Amino acid sequence: MSARHVYVHTIGCQMNVYDSEQILRLLEPLGYVKTDSVNTADLIILNTCAIREKAEQKAFSFLGRLADLKQKKPDLMIAVGGCVAQQEGKRIFRRVPFLDAVFGTGAIGRLPRIIEEVEKQRIRVLDVDMDAAGNEFDLPEPYPVSESVSRFVTIMRGCDNYCTYCVVPHVRGREQSRRPESILREIEALVRSGVREVTLLGQNVNSYGKKEGLCSFAQLLAQVNRVEGLERIRFTTSHPKDLSRELMLAFRDLDRLCKHIHLPVQSGSDRILRRMNRKYTRDHYLGLVEDLRRICPDVAITSDIIAGFPGESREDFEMTLDLIRTVAYDGLFAFAYSDRPGAPAAGFSEKVPEEERQRRLREILEVQEQFTLKKNRQQIGRVQEILVDGMSRRQMTADGSQAEVQMSGRTSENRIVNFMTDSAQAASLMGKMVKAEIAEAFSHSLRGKLTAAF
Ligand code: 5AD
Ligand code: SF4
């Protein structure tokens, strides 16, 4: 069978990145090889995100751009998966008539069959069944050889929290944890293929295993910490209502666990937190931050904030700005609220006008920028351990030969550090832990000077 080419385009979160990797793996036995250009593809798969309106618009504009290509190449197959596929189901066929398949978030495991059906019968296939069999966490070995230093590993799917603004429980289904043996097997295989860092993914890793009676998340981390050859462990996301003391202590006790926690607060006003159904108060959240910093003084804390949730008054918003200043986050993601189909807040009254949402968003980002820069500047003069994961700009000498190469990596606290190195040494540093003294600080990165490689 001659090789056919598949182009996978991913929109959205890390979980989608992981799912797209699984999609590529699943299609390999059908003879599909990855391509980086839509023009050489026999099959194009779009993995979509529905978290905010903007992400959904991105999906439809990508599909719109494919219309011409499909007309020129009628044999080209185009499939749409992910959260928008789950949310819209067969309505997508009406909006984008040239699609061959729509598969939901629970249908990834069945994708090979779906694609075979399209290939053989040239029919349109729709599979948005979230409960059908054939989408287990385990995929058969062997795992592919990895080209990257750092990889995502999904440890949970779905969400049971029903925050009122959020579409995730509706498009990703009920929370479901993967067995520790299966997670460890995958991580061990990744390490064998050269991976040095894993990020464990779940909508709320703090409730890992509770429903199924598996081990706790902190216990899972302890097991991952023992995987030989793995340098670093990260995880995301933590819901503040379930952050346990056991997990806080993991930051102190597990040597490979990176000192960074993403702890989305969403709002600093108790009134809004209640309307969001977040199930914690501002004081409880601030208490968690205090405890975390007492247990692990260096821990970096980042967060998500929604600007202009329905009913958010200027006073509520001021409480959010005040919380940002009180916590002094290491980094922050902020979003203007958008209505999502199926999420209760879409039906809430007192909508904040779009312009005002955007204004508040800008205000949040402005306040945070000073903190990010200040915290980055505090790094100057410190020697940091960095896991090297990228090679970017090259500096050429006058005769065209390469003198120095710019490489990059991250600190344990997840700050990006760029440093220059000899071109002869560069390749051998990829995937290695190095030490660098921080010399300069910017808003999104640091510049360091290599002091040791080990
Ligand atoms: N509007 C704006 N932001 C949202 N988020 C989730 N749903 C919405 C929405 N409807 C944000 C939250 C969440 C992050 C992943 O996306 O801050 O933590
Ligand atoms: Fe959405 Fe809330 Fe679940 Fe996060 S915890 S995925 S915000 S419902």
Side-chain angles (χ1 to χ4, degrees):
M1 189 171 25
S2 67
R4 288 169 298 170
H5 292 97
V6 55
Y7 176 89
V8 180
H9 185 75
T10 311
I11 301 172
C13 67
Q14 295 139 330
M15 222 163 271
N16 268 11
V17 173
Y18 180 84
D19 285 348
S20 291
E21 282 164 6
Q22 303 297 56
I23 287 172
L24 283 169
R25 262 185 76 192
L26 282 163
L27 292 178
E28 230 173 87
L30 267 61
Y32 281 99
V33 182
K34 181 178 143 184
T35 169
D36 292 325
S37 155
V38 281
N39 296 316
T40 54
D42 303 288
L43 167 63
I44 296 176
I45 294 181
L46 172 64
N47 196 359
T48 59
C49 168
I51 193 89
R52 287 172 296 274
E53 206 176 343
K54 240 195 207 158
E56 188 174 334
Q57 284 162 359
K58 257 194 218 168
F60 285 105
S61 80
F62 177 84
L63 291 173
R65 290 199 300 274
L66 294 182
D68 277 354
L69 198 63
K70 177 82 177 181
Q71 209 162 24
K72 271 189 239 144
K73 274 172 74 172
D75 283 346
L76 172 68
M77 287 177 289
I78 304 178
V80 177
C83 295
V84 177
Q86 189 65 47
Q87 178 187 287
E88 297 297 309
K90 66 170 185 288
R91 281 196 298 261
I92 302 193
F93 284 130
R94 236 178 291 149
R95 206 161 151 186
V96 190
F98 56 81
L99 289 182
D100 296 284
V102 171
F103 61 102
T105 51
I108 292 174
R110 297 187 294 275
L111 189 62
R113 246 177 26 221
I114 296 172
I115 297 301
E116 269 176 340
E117 255 177 78
V118 174
E119 280 173 350
K120 292 203 180 105
Q121 304 172 35
R122 298 308 309 190
I123 49 162
R124 264 185 182 174
V125 181
L126 170 75
D127 183 348
V128 285
D129 191 340
M130 278 208 267
D131 305 314
N135 201 38
E136 290 69 32
F137 278 116
D138 286 316
L139 287 180
E141 294 207 38
Y143 291 93
V145 175
S146 178
E147 299 145 8
S148 39
V149 174
S150 181
R151 289 282 288 263
F152 301 122
V153 175
T154 291
I155 63 162
M156 303 167 81
R157 290 207 189 115
C159 183
D160 285 348
N161 289 306
Y162 292 98
C163 302
T164 52
Y165 51 80
C166 188
V167 77
V168 169
H170 310 279
V171 292
R172 289 244 168 205
R174 299 292 63 72
E175 183 184 292
Q176 202 190 334
S177 295
R178 181 176 178 188
R179 280 175 297 106
E181 310 83 76
S182 163
I183 297 167
L184 287 164
R185 230 184 356 258
E186 178 165 352
I187 295 174
E188 281 158 3
L190 287 171
V191 170
R192 278 198 300 277
S193 77
V195 169
R196 291 289 163 260
E197 174 183 87
V198 290
T199 303
L200 308 181
L201 300 178
Q203 299 298 345
N204 177 18
V205 293
N206 298 337
S207 60
Y208 172 82
K210 280 191 190 154
K211 243 163 91 170
E212 291 83 358
L214 305 170
C215 63
S216 70
F217 180 57
Q219 286 164 341
L220 176 71
L221 283 176
Q223 292 185 59
V224 177
N225 197 61
R226 287 196 287 272
V227 172
E228 193 113 356
L230 184 66
E231 296 280 0
R232 283 182 164 179
I233 310 164
R234 299 184 184 277
F235 65 84
T236 196
T237 290
S238 281
H239 194 306
K241 80 175 164 62
D242 299 313
L243 176 56
S244 67
R245 192 166 171 81
E246 194 194 9
L247 182 57
M248 293 190 194
L249 293 174
F251 283 112
R252 188 193 64 190
D253 298 337
L254 302 180
D255 58 336
R256 296 174 189 176
L257 182 62
C258 288
K259 293 182 172 23
H260 170 218
I261 185 164
H262 186 60
L263 195 63
V265 69
Q266 312 297 359
S267 168
S269 151
D270 283 342
R271 205 176 67 84
I272 296 300
L273 286 173
R274 236 182 351 262
R275 281 170 74 101
M276 287 176 164
N277 192 30
R278 289 293 285 177
K279 303 195 177 94
Y280 54 84
T281 59
R282 171 194 176 92
D283 278 353
H284 178 75
Y285 185 91
L286 290 173
L288 293 175
V289 170
E290 239 175 68
D291 291 348
L292 272 164
R293 286 182 172 153
R294 208 174 22 243
I295 291 169
C296 181
D298 291 341
V299 70
I301 304 176
T302 57
S303 194
D304 291 344
I305 305 244
I306 296 178
F309 184 80
E312 184 186 78
S313 64
R314 185 68 213 181
E315 208 184 336
D316 293 313
F317 178 62
E318 293 288 346
M319 302 277 283
T320 298
L321 293 179
D322 182 70
L323 180 134
I324 296 171
R325 291 191 190 101
T326 307
V327 174
Y329 285 111
D330 294 83
L332 195 61
F333 299 93
F335 313 98
Y337 168 80
S338 64
D339 281 340
R340 304 312 300 134
F348 288 5
S349 55
E350 300 175 70
K351 291 276 158 62
V352 176
E354 171 67 19
E355 244 172 65
E356 181 60 20
R357 279 182 253 164
Q358 295 297 338
R359 213 168 16 238
R360 290 182 189 179
L361 174 65
R362 281 196 300 275
E363 250 182 278
I364 292 172
L365 295 174
E366 267 165 38
V367 169
Q368 180 54 36
E369 209 173 290
Q370 303 157 26
F371 285 103
T372 315
L373 194 59
K374 190 170 143 210
K375 295 221 159 193
N376 281 353
R377 285 197 179 129
Q378 284 168 357
Q379 305 296 315
I380 295 176
R382 290 195 195 173
V383 174
Q384 289 276 18
E385 276 186 15
I386 300 158
L387 176 63
V388 182
D389 61 7
M391 203 175 333
S392 46
R393 220 161 2 100
R394 287 147 204 272
Q395 256 181 23
M396 303 286 182
T397 54
D399 65 1
S401 65
Q402 274 176 38
E404 283 205 303
V405 174
Q406 175 172 286
M407 302 200 76
S408 61
R410 282 171 192 267
T411 66
S412 173
E413 297 84 18
N414 213 26
R415 295 193 169 87
I416 296 170
V417 180
N418 296 305
F419 61 92
M420 301 303 291
T421 185
D422 199 85
S423 62
Q425 197 186 16
S428 69
L429 289 182
M430 271 303 255
K432 295 274 164 30
M433 293 284 266
V434 299
K435 280 191 178 176
E437 185 178 331
I438 307 304
E440 272 184 279
F442 312 100
S443 9
H444 298 288
S445 66
L446 304 171
R447 174 161 295 285
K449 199 167 167 288
L450 211 57
T451 60
F454 47 95

